Amino acid sequence: MIHRKYQNVLFAFFMALFMSCFMSLVISIFNVGLVDNILHVWLHAWGFAFVVAFPTVMIVAPTVRRLVALVIHKDEC
């Protein structure tokens, strides 16, 4: 198993992996339709999308966490 200190990196990796997968598939089908070589088109787009998505998530995640913390209602006990 992987040590807990790498949790943020693993979260970013899997978030980028799944989001780039689904988004590249949707955008590929939207742009070219269900053509014969859609699998090749999609996998090519997915590879490129993941290379962009992973560092983007690593950079943007801390800002997103701070924004979420600003809008979450804190319980007053």
Side-chain angles (χ1 to χ4, degrees):
M1 297 304 286
I2 298 172
H3 195 274
R4 186 176 189 83
K5 70 180 179 179
Y6 299 109
Q7 180 177 351
N8 289 339
V9 175
L10 285 172
F11 176 85
F13 176 83
F14 285 116
M15 180 62 76
L17 184 72
F18 291 123
M19 288 300 297
S20 63
C21 170
F22 297 126
M23 293 305 300
S24 62
L25 177 62
V26 169
I27 292 168
S28 294
I29 292 172
F30 179 79
N31 283 328
V32 299
L34 289 172
V35 294
D36 290 338
N37 66 338
I38 189 63
L39 183 63
H40 175 74
V41 170
W42 168 55
L43 290 175
H44 182 75
W46 185 12
F48 181 76
F50 179 73
V51 168
V52 173
F54 182 56
T56 301
V57 171
M58 290 293 297
I59 293 167
V60 172
T63 302
V64 171
R65 285 188 185 100
R66 283 192 291 275
L67 289 171
V68 169
L70 287 173
V71 299
I72 293 295
H73 184 273
K74 295 182 176 136
D75 292 332
E76 296 175 18
C77 296

